[in-house]
Coordinates of all heavy atoms in Angstrom, one line a residue:
M1 N 0.9 -1.2 0.0 CA 0.0 0.0 0.0 C 0.9 1.3 0.0 O 2.0 1.2 0.5 CB -0.9 0.0 1.3 CG -2.0 -1.0 1.2 SD -3.1 -1.0 2.7 CE -3.9 0.6 2.4
L2 N 0.3 2.3 -0.5 CA 1.1 3.6 -0.6 C 1.0 4.2 0.8 O 0.1 4.0 1.6 CB 0.5 4.5 -1.6 CG 0.5 4.0 -3.1 CD1 -0.2 4.9 -4.0 CD2 2.0 3.8 -3.5
W3 N 2.0 5.0 1.1 CA 2.1 5.8 2.3 C 0.9 6.7 2.5 O 0.4 7.1 3.6 CB 3.3 6.5 2.5 CG 3.5 7.6 1.4 CD1 4.1 7.4 0.2 CD2 3.1 9.0 1.6 NE1 4.1 8.6 -0.5 CE2 3.5 9.6 0.3 CE3 2.5 9.7 2.5 CZ2 3.2 10.9 0.1 CZ3 2.2 11.0 2.3 CH2 2.6 11.6 1.0
S4 N 0.3 7.2 1.4 CA -0.8 8.1 1.4 C -2.2 7.5 1.6 O -3.2 8.1 1.8 CB -0.8 9.0 0.2 OG -1.0 8.1 -1.0
D5 N -2.3 6.1 1.5 CA -3.5 5.4 1.6 C -4.0 5.4 3.1 O -3.2 5.3 4.0 CB -3.4 4.0 1.1 CG -3.4 3.9 -0.4 OD1 -3.7 4.9 -1.0 OD2 -3.0 2.8 -0.9
P6 N -5.2 5.6 3.3 CA -5.7 5.5 4.7 C -5.6 4.1 5.3 O -5.7 3.2 4.5 CB -7.2 6.0 4.7 CG -7.5 5.8 3.3 CD -6.3 6.0 2.5
E7 N -5.4 3.9 6.5 CA -5.2 2.5 7.1 C -6.5 1.8 7.1 O -7.6 2.4 7.5 CB -4.6 2.7 8.5 CG -3.2 3.1 8.5 CD -2.6 3.1 9.9 OE1 -3.1 2.3 10.7 OE2 -1.7 3.8 10.1
N8 N -6.5 0.5 6.8 CA -7.6 -0.4 6.9 C -8.9 0.1 6.2 O -10.0 -0.1 6.6 CB -8.0 -0.6 8.3 CG -6.8 -1.4 9.0 OD1 -6.2 -2.2 8.4 ND2 -6.7 -1.1 10.3
N9 N -8.7 0.9 5.0 CA -9.8 1.4 4.3 C -9.5 1.2 2.8 O -9.1 2.2 2.2 CB -10.1 2.8 4.7 CG -11.4 3.3 4.1 OD1 -12.2 2.5 3.6 ND2 -11.7 4.6 4.2
P10 N -9.7 0.0 2.2 CA -9.4 -0.2 0.8 C -10.4 0.7 0.0 O -11.5 1.0 0.4 CB -9.7 -1.6 0.6 CG -10.5 -2.1 1.7 CD -10.2 -1.2 2.9
P11 N -9.9 1.1 -1.2 CA -10.8 1.9 -2.1 C -12.1 1.1 -2.5 O -12.1 -0.1 -2.4 CB -10.0 2.2 -3.3 CG -8.8 1.4 -3.2 CD -8.6 0.9 -1.8
K12 N -13.1 1.9 -2.9 CA -14.4 1.3 -3.2 C -14.3 0.3 -4.3 O -14.9 -0.8 -4.2 CB -15.4 2.4 -3.5 CG -16.8 1.8 -3.8 CD -17.8 2.9 -4.1 CE -19.2 2.4 -4.2 NZ -19.4 1.1 -4.8
D13 N -13.5 0.6 -5.3 CA -13.5 -0.4 -6.4 C -12.8 -1.7 -6.0 O -13.2 -2.8 -6.4 CB -12.7 0.2 -7.6 CG -11.4 0.7 -7.3 OD1 -11.1 0.8 -6.1 OD2 -10.6 1.0 -8.2
M14 N -11.8 -1.6 -5.0 CA -11.2 -2.8 -4.5 C -12.3 -3.7 -3.7 O -12.3 -4.9 -3.8 CB -10.1 -2.5 -3.6 CG -9.3 -3.6 -3.0 SD -8.2 -4.4 -4.2 CE -6.9 -3.2 -4.3
R15 N -13.0 -3.0 -2.9 CA -14.1 -3.7 -2.1 C -15.1 -4.3 -3.1 O -15.6 -5.5 -2.8 CB -14.8 -2.7 -1.1 CG -13.9 -2.5 0.1 CD -14.6 -1.5 1.0 NE -14.5 -0.2 0.4 CZ -15.2 0.9 0.8 NH1 -16.0 0.8 1.8 NH2 -14.9 2.0 0.2
D16 N -15.5 -3.6 -4.1 CA -16.5 -4.2 -5.1 C -15.9 -5.4 -5.8 O -16.6 -6.4 -6.0 CB -16.8 -3.1 -6.1 CG -17.7 -2.0 -5.5 OD1 -18.2 -2.2 -4.4 OD2 -17.8 -1.0 -6.2
M17 N -14.6 -5.4 -6.1 CA -14.0 -6.5 -6.8 C -13.9 -7.7 -5.8 O -14.2 -8.8 -6.2 CB -12.6 -6.1 -7.2 CG -11.9 -7.2 -8.0 SD -12.6 -7.7 -9.5 CE -12.3 -6.2 -10.5
Q18 N -13.6 -7.4 -4.6 CA -13.6 -8.5 -3.6 C -15.0 -9.1 -3.5 O -15.1 -10.4 -3.4 CB -13.1 -8.0 -2.2 CG -11.6 -7.7 -2.2 CD -11.2 -7.1 -0.9 OE1 -12.0 -6.6 -0.1 NE2 -9.9 -7.0 -0.7
A19 N -16.0 -8.3 -3.4 CA -17.4 -8.9 -3.3 C -17.7 -9.7 -4.5 O -18.3 -10.8 -4.4 CB -18.3 -7.8 -3.2
K20 N -17.3 -9.2 -5.7 CA -17.6 -10.0 -7.0 C -16.8 -11.3 -6.9 O -17.4 -12.3 -7.3 CB -17.1 -9.2 -8.2 CG -18.1 -8.1 -8.6 CD -17.6 -7.5 -9.9 CE -18.4 -6.3 -10.2 NZ -17.9 -5.5 -11.3
M21 N -15.6 -11.3 -6.5 CA -14.8 -12.5 -6.5 C -15.4 -13.5 -5.5 O -15.4 -14.7 -5.7 CB -13.4 -12.3 -6.1 CG -12.6 -11.5 -7.1 SD -12.5 -12.3 -8.7 CE -11.2 -13.4 -8.4
R22 N -15.9 -13.0 -4.3 CA -16.5 -13.9 -3.3 C -17.8 -14.5 -3.9 O -18.0 -15.7 -3.8 CB -16.9 -13.1 -2.1 CG -17.2 -13.9 -0.9 CD -17.3 -13.0 0.4 NE -16.1 -12.3 0.6 CZ -16.1 -10.9 0.7 NH1 -17.2 -10.2 0.5 NH2 -15.0 -10.3 1.0
R23 N -18.6 -13.7 -4.6 CA -19.8 -14.3 -5.3 C -19.4 -15.3 -6.3 O -20.1 -16.3 -6.4 CB -20.7 -13.1 -5.8 CG -21.7 -12.7 -4.8 CD -22.4 -11.5 -5.4 NE -21.7 -10.4 -5.2 CZ -21.8 -9.2 -5.8 NH1 -22.7 -9.0 -6.7 NH2 -21.0 -8.2 -5.5
A24 N -18.5 -15.0 -7.1 CA -18.0 -15.9 -8.2 C -17.5 -17.2 -7.6 O -17.8 -18.3 -8.2 CB -17.0 -15.2 -9.1
G25 N -16.8 -17.2 -6.5 CA -16.3 -18.4 -5.8 C -17.5 -19.2 -5.3 O -17.5 -20.4 -5.5
L26 N -18.5 -18.6 -4.8 CA -19.6 -19.3 -4.3 C -20.4 -20.0 -5.4 O -20.8 -21.1 -5.3 CB -20.6 -18.3 -3.5 CG -20.2 -17.9 -2.1 CD1 -21.1 -16.9 -1.5 CD2 -20.2 -19.2 -1.2
V27 N -20.6 -19.2 -6.6 CA -21.3 -19.8 -7.7 C -20.5 -20.9 -8.3 O -21.1 -22.0 -8.6 CB -21.5 -18.7 -8.8 CG1 -22.0 -19.3 -10.0 CG2 -22.5 -17.7 -8.2
L28 N -19.2 -20.8 -8.4 CA -18.4 -21.9 -8.9 C -18.5 -23.1 -8.0 O -18.6 -24.2 -8.5 CB -16.9 -21.4 -9.0 CG -16.0 -22.3 -9.7 CD1 -16.4 -22.6 -11.1 CD2 -14.5 -21.7 -9.7
A29 N -18.4 -22.9 -6.7 CA -18.4 -24.1 -5.8 C -19.8 -24.8 -5.9 O -19.9 -26.0 -5.9 CB -18.2 -23.6 -4.4
L30 N -20.9 -24.0 -6.0 CA -22.2 -24.5 -6.1 C -22.3 -25.3 -7.4 O -22.9 -26.5 -7.5 CB -23.2 -23.4 -6.1 CG -24.5 -23.8 -5.3 CD1 -24.5 -23.1 -4.0 CD2 -25.7 -23.4 -6.2
A31 N -21.8 -24.8 -8.5 CA -21.8 -25.4 -9.8 C -21.1 -26.8 -9.8 O -21.5 -27.7 -10.4 CB -21.3 -24.5 -10.9
M32 N -19.9 -26.8 -9.1 CA -19.2 -28.0 -9.0 C -19.9 -29.1 -8.2 O -19.9 -30.3 -8.6 CB -17.8 -27.7 -8.4 CG -16.8 -27.0 -9.3 SD -15.3 -26.8 -8.5 CE -14.7 -28.5 -8.4
V33 N -20.6 -28.7 -7.1 CA -21.3 -29.7 -6.4 C -22.5 -30.2 -7.2 O -22.8 -31.4 -7.2 CB -21.9 -29.0 -5.1 CG1 -22.9 -29.9 -4.4 CG2 -20.8 -28.7 -4.2
V34 N -23.2 -29.3 -7.9 CA -24.3 -29.8 -8.8 C -23.8 -30.7 -9.9 O -24.4 -31.8 -10.2 CB -25.0 -28.6 -9.4 CG1 -26.0 -29.0 -10.5 CG2 -25.8 -27.8 -8.3
A35 N -22.7 -30.4 -10.5 CA -22.1 -31.2 -11.6 C -21.7 -32.6 -11.0 O -21.9 -33.6 -11.7 CB -20.9 -30.5 -12.2
M36 N -21.1 -32.6 -9.8 CA -20.7 -33.9 -9.3 C -21.9 -34.7 -9.0 O -21.9 -35.9 -9.1 CB -19.8 -33.7 -8.0 CG -18.5 -33.1 -8.2 SD -17.6 -32.6 -6.7 CE -17.5 -34.2 -5.9
F37 N -23.0 -34.1 -8.5 CA -24.2 -34.8 -8.2 C -24.8 -35.4 -9.5 O -25.2 -36.5 -9.5 CB -25.2 -33.8 -7.5 CG -26.5 -34.4 -7.1 CD1 -26.5 -35.3 -6.0 CD2 -27.7 -34.2 -7.8 CE1 -27.7 -35.9 -5.6 CE2 -28.9 -34.7 -7.4 CZ -28.9 -35.6 -6.3
V38 N -24.9 -34.6 -10.5 CA -25.4 -35.0 -11.8 C -24.6 -36.2 -12.4 O -25.1 -37.2 -12.8 CB -25.5 -33.9 -12.8 CG1 -25.9 -34.4 -14.2 CG2 -26.6 -32.9 -12.3
L39 N -23.3 -36.0 -12.3 CA -22.4 -37.1 -12.9 C -22.5 -38.3 -12.0 O -22.3 -39.4 -12.5 CB -21.0 -36.5 -13.0 CG -20.8 -35.4 -14.1 CD1 -19.3 -34.9 -13.9 CD2 -21.1 -36.0 -15.4
G40 N -22.7 -38.2 -10.7 CA -22.7 -39.3 -9.8 C -24.0 -40.1 -10.0 O -24.0 -41.3 -9.8
I41 N -25.0 -39.4 -10.5 CA -26.4 -40.1 -10.6 C -26.3 -41.1 -11.8 O -26.8 -42.2 -11.8 CB -27.5 -39.1 -10.9 CG1 -27.7 -38.3 -9.6 CG2 -28.7 -39.8 -11.4 CD1 -28.3 -39.0 -8.5
R42 N -25.6 -40.7 -12.9 CA -25.5 -41.5 -14.1 C -24.8 -42.9 -13.8 O -23.8 -43.0 -13.3 CB -24.8 -40.8 -15.2 CG -25.6 -39.7 -15.8 CD -24.9 -39.1 -16.9 NE -25.8 -38.0 -17.5 CZ -25.5 -37.4 -18.6 NH1 -24.5 -37.7 -19.3 NH2 -26.3 -36.5 -19.0

């Protein structure tokens, strides 16, 4: 981090990106579970 950045306060775009990545991870994990379930049924 730069010396001019406030402590423990990431910029808004960084927080938005973290939220998007968290949601993408959840969707990916859910999709993998569904895919394993479908492939396991066959």
